[in-house]
Amino acid sequence: MTTKNFKYLAMPAVLALALTGCFGSSSPDERVVVPPDPVVVGPEVPDALAVVVNGNVVDVDSVGIIETATITFRENGAASESIATVDGDPITQLVTEDGSFSFTLRDGASPDSVRLLVTADGYFTKRFDIDFTTDEEEIETELGLLARESDDTADAAVEDDVANASTTDAITASAESENAGGDASVPQGTQLLTASGDPITGTSVSLRVGAVNPNSSAMGSSVPAGLNAANATEVAVPVGVVDVTMRDNTGVSVKRFSNPITVGVRLPISTEIPGGARTITTGDEFDVSSFDEDTGEWSNEDAKAVVGQLNAAGTAYRASFETDHLTFFGITGNEPACTQAFTMSFSGDSLPNSRLFVIVTSRDGSISGSVPGDATSATVIRANFMSIAGIKANATARVVVRAPGSGAVWYDSEEEVPICGNLPEVELSNPVQNTVSEVGSLIAVCSNDSTVRTDVPGAVVKFRETGSRSAWSTARGNGEGGYNFANLNGDADSYDVKVNPRIADEFTTTITPDGDDESIEFNIQCEVVTGTGS
């Protein structure tokens, strides 16, 4: 770390002036008082963060940024006491303004993992777990949310009046599309309660149902983390999912009911269930798990989802169950868990000089990892996390490798490939033909003396192509005030750079992707030091 501290460089000169004034004459009466000149001192720079998490909230299909999202931090069902902003302020929640976020651990905190509950208008709420046991100082992550309205989803809501916190008529909401379907029905005379068991105070309610195509990877993308535990021998594999919520006109969520309500979900005519792929038939039963969107906890329901009659088109069944609460429900069967790490071996004309994301998606679930630059092989998902991700022993998934920020795809398996174990000879190819990299030096310039300039390591620096709605990439620091802008598109006009120097307000600037190193400067009011002399 290079820290230019002019306070101590200036003191010998000040002392020399003071001594000259005191002892330059043999007569006390001829002693000259020489006050030292004021000296502007460069700022104290922050130490590098022990660990920092940088990431983006994106649409899982388009990979476009979701600008406004709320991230709530949880541990063991309660608000996390481990998270702070990069400026050191303790937080339990943050709201993104441009889709990107950064946070660190509070002083003294050392959790193995922290849960992130992510919500955004028009998207299914999802939980993501950040692993802090990898000893990485800079963790870059991407949180992908599934849109409630798409080719593989269905979403619908109905409104009705209530009296004295009870339904005056039965309320039924049904979400149906070509590929997905689900429904919920609340009987007449049912009392509507909050999570704490108190009656609601509103005079009307909105019942909303969201469903996902059970034959697509969209279902896996919708399932929040935590359905399965670490090192489990069996994993619960979703067969169908449905999200049911209700709010009154004051904005209060209805979570519980005095009487059971009925929830239904469309299932495919065949699926992977214990014993392998087989056709679903009327009367089959599946386990039901529920995800609490407030606590981030999964629970096993007592009720079973029972498969009804085949629909008139002969394309799907409806499975239904009764429950006394609302949330995200997963209809599941159990499968032997994968006990091997998911690793990849890379080939190709050139390897990336910076980290790449690996996105793994299937109808069973989705998970993301990353591989470091210049790697010829990497462990994407560790063995003990395979069961957490719900990866079964014979799991297959589509695997995509892409650059953070730009989303440029370096590899796409297109078809599903086995992911329990090693995926050999993945040929990486950079789709950007004119790729350049640069180093940007971050310099604090004293506004009260522009000759005093200080290198600033330990800042948080992000970048993306100007005018794009892509995610932000992180420029990794070299510990001396330099930040690496890797894999820039040399044909782009400019890149936006967002800097939190941690000793001044966040600011944005631009750089030109021409391969020449940059100097990124910002002004700061510096301390003025004076001494005494005679």
Side-chain angles (χ1 to χ4, degrees), residues 9-42:
L9 294 175
M11 288 307 296
V14 173
L15 182 58
L17 288 172
L19 291 175
T20 301
C22 291
F23 301 106
S25 172
S26 60
S27 170
D29 295 332
E30 297 177 7
R31 184 169 54 195
V32 178
V33 176
V34 182
D37 292 332
V39 177
V40 175
V41 181

Coordinates of all heavy atoms in Angstrom, one line a residue, residues 9-42:
L9 N 6.7 14.4 6.4 CA 7.7 14.9 5.5 C 8.0 16.4 5.7 O 9.1 16.9 5.5 CB 7.3 14.7 4.0 CG 7.2 13.3 3.5 CD1 6.6 13.3 2.1 CD2 8.5 12.6 3.6
A10 N 7.0 17.1 6.1 CA 7.1 18.6 6.3 C 7.8 18.9 7.6 O 8.4 20.0 7.8 CB 5.7 19.2 6.2
M11 N 7.7 18.1 8.6 CA 8.2 18.5 10.0 C 9.7 18.8 10.0 O 10.1 19.7 10.7 CB 7.8 17.4 11.0 CG 6.3 17.4 11.3 SD 5.6 19.0 11.7 CE 6.5 19.2 13.3
P12 N 10.6 18.0 9.4 CA 12.0 18.4 9.4 C 12.3 19.8 8.9 O 13.1 20.5 9.5 CB 12.7 17.3 8.6 CG 11.8 16.2 8.6 CD 10.4 16.8 8.7
A13 N 11.6 20.2 7.8 CA 11.8 21.5 7.3 C 11.3 22.6 8.3 O 11.9 23.6 8.5 CB 11.1 21.7 6.0
V14 N 10.1 22.3 8.9 CA 9.6 23.2 9.9 C 10.5 23.4 11.1 O 10.8 24.4 11.6 CB 8.2 22.7 10.4 CG1 7.7 23.6 11.5 CG2 7.2 22.8 9.2
L15 N 11.1 22.2 11.5 CA 12.0 22.2 12.7 C 13.2 23.0 12.3 O 13.8 23.8 13.2 CB 12.3 20.8 13.1 CG 13.2 20.6 14.3 CD1 12.6 21.3 15.5 CD2 13.5 19.2 14.6
A16 N 13.7 22.8 11.1 CA 15.0 23.5 10.7 C 14.7 25.0 10.7 O 15.6 25.8 11.2 CB 15.4 23.1 9.3
L17 N 13.6 25.5 10.3 CA 13.3 26.9 10.3 C 13.2 27.4 11.7 O 13.7 28.5 12.1 CB 12.0 27.2 9.6 CG 12.0 27.1 8.1 CD1 10.5 27.2 7.5 CD2 12.9 28.1 7.5
A18 N 12.6 26.6 12.6 CA 12.5 27.1 14.0 C 13.8 27.1 14.7 O 14.1 28.1 15.4 CB 11.6 26.1 14.8
L19 N 14.7 26.2 14.4 CA 16.0 26.2 15.0 C 16.9 27.3 14.5 O 17.6 27.9 15.3 CB 16.7 24.8 14.8 CG 16.1 23.6 15.5 CD1 16.8 22.4 15.1 CD2 16.2 23.8 17.0
T20 N 16.7 27.6 13.2 CA 17.5 28.7 12.7 C 17.1 30.0 13.3 O 17.9 30.9 13.7 CB 17.3 28.8 11.2 OG1 17.7 27.6 10.6 CG2 18.0 30.0 10.5
G21 N 15.8 30.2 13.6 CA 15.3 31.4 14.2 C 15.8 31.5 15.6 O 16.1 32.6 16.1
C22 N 15.9 30.4 16.4 CA 16.3 30.5 17.8 C 17.8 30.6 18.0 O 18.3 31.3 18.9 CB 15.9 29.2 18.5 SG 14.1 29.0 18.6
F23 N 18.6 30.0 17.1 CA 20.1 30.0 17.4 C 20.9 30.7 16.3 O 22.1 30.5 16.3 CB 20.5 28.5 17.5 CG 19.8 27.8 18.6 CD1 18.8 26.8 18.3 CD2 20.1 28.0 19.9 CE1 18.1 26.2 19.3 CE2 19.4 27.4 20.9 CZ 18.4 26.4 20.6
G24 N 20.2 31.4 15.4 CA 21.0 32.1 14.4 C 21.7 33.3 14.9 O 22.6 33.9 14.2
S25 N 21.5 33.8 16.2 CA 22.2 34.9 16.8 C 22.6 34.6 18.2 O 22.0 33.8 18.9 CB 21.2 36.1 16.8 OG 21.8 37.2 17.5
S26 N 23.8 35.1 18.5 CA 24.3 34.9 19.9 C 23.6 35.7 20.9 O 23.8 35.5 22.1 CB 25.8 35.1 19.9 OG 26.1 36.5 19.6
S27 N 22.9 36.7 20.5 CA 22.3 37.7 21.5 C 20.8 37.3 21.6 O 20.1 37.3 20.5 CB 22.5 39.1 21.0 OG 21.7 40.0 21.8
P28 N 20.3 37.1 22.8 CA 18.9 36.9 22.9 C 18.0 38.0 22.4 O 16.9 37.8 21.9 CB 18.7 36.7 24.4 CG 20.0 36.3 24.9 CD 21.0 37.0 24.0
D29 N 18.6 39.3 22.5 CA 17.8 40.4 22.1 C 17.7 40.5 20.6 O 16.8 41.1 20.0 CB 18.4 41.7 22.6 CG 18.4 41.8 24.1 OD1 17.5 41.2 24.7 OD2 19.3 42.5 24.6
E30 N 18.6 39.8 19.9 CA 18.5 39.7 18.4 C 17.8 38.5 17.9 O 17.9 38.2 16.7 CB 20.0 39.8 17.9 CG 20.7 41.1 18.2 CD 22.1 41.1 17.7 OE1 22.5 40.1 17.0 OE2 22.9 42.0 18.1
R31 N 17.2 37.7 18.8 CA 16.5 36.5 18.3 C 15.4 36.8 17.4 O 14.6 37.7 17.6 CB 16.0 35.7 19.5 CG 15.4 34.4 19.2 CD 15.2 33.6 20.5 NE 14.4 34.4 21.4 CZ 14.3 34.1 22.7 NH1 14.9 33.1 23.2 NH2 13.5 34.8 23.5
V32 N 15.2 36.0 16.3 CA 14.2 36.3 15.3 C 13.1 35.2 15.4 O 13.4 34.0 15.4 CB 14.8 36.2 13.8 CG1 13.7 36.5 12.8 CG2 15.9 37.3 13.7
V33 N 11.9 35.6 15.4 CA 10.7 34.7 15.4 C 10.3 34.4 14.0 O 10.0 35.3 13.3 CB 9.6 35.3 16.2 CG1 8.4 34.3 16.2 CG2 10.0 35.6 17.7
V34 N 10.4 33.1 13.6 CA 10.0 32.7 12.2 C 8.9 31.7 12.3 O 9.1 30.5 12.6 CB 11.2 32.1 11.5 CG1 10.8 31.7 10.1 CG2 12.4 33.0 11.6
P35 N 7.6 32.1 12.1 CA 6.5 31.2 12.2 C 6.6 30.3 10.9 O 6.8 30.8 9.8 CB 5.3 32.1 12.1 CG 5.7 33.3 11.5 CD 7.2 33.5 11.9
P36 N 6.3 29.0 11.1 CA 6.4 28.1 9.9 C 5.2 28.3 9.0 O 4.1 28.7 9.5 CB 6.3 26.7 10.6 CG 5.6 26.9 11.9 CD 6.0 28.3 12.4
D37 N 5.3 28.0 7.8 CA 4.2 28.1 6.8 C 3.3 26.9 7.1 O 3.7 25.8 7.5 CB 4.7 28.0 5.4 CG 5.5 29.2 5.0 OD1 5.2 30.3 5.6 OD2 6.4 29.1 4.1
P38 N 2.0 27.1 6.9 CA 1.0 26.0 7.0 C 1.3 24.9 6.0 O 1.8 25.2 4.9 CB -0.4 26.7 6.7 CG -0.1 28.1 7.0 CD 1.3 28.4 6.6
V39 N 1.1 23.7 6.3 CA 1.3 22.6 5.4 C 0.0 21.8 5.2 O -0.6 21.4 6.1 CB 2.4 21.6 6.0 CG1 2.6 20.4 5.1 CG2 3.7 22.4 6.2
V40 N -0.4 21.6 3.9 CA -1.6 20.8 3.6 C -1.2 19.3 3.6 O -0.2 18.9 2.9 CB -2.1 21.2 2.2 CG1 -3.3 20.3 1.8 CG2 -2.6 22.6 2.2
V41 N -1.9 18.5 4.3 CA -1.6 17.1 4.5 C -2.6 16.2 3.7 O -3.8 16.4 3.8 CB -1.6 16.7 6.0 CG1 -1.2 15.3 6.1 CG2 -0.6 17.6 6.7
G42 N -2.1 15.3 2.9 CA -2.9 14.4 2.2 C -3.8 13.6 3.1 O -3.5 13.4 4.3

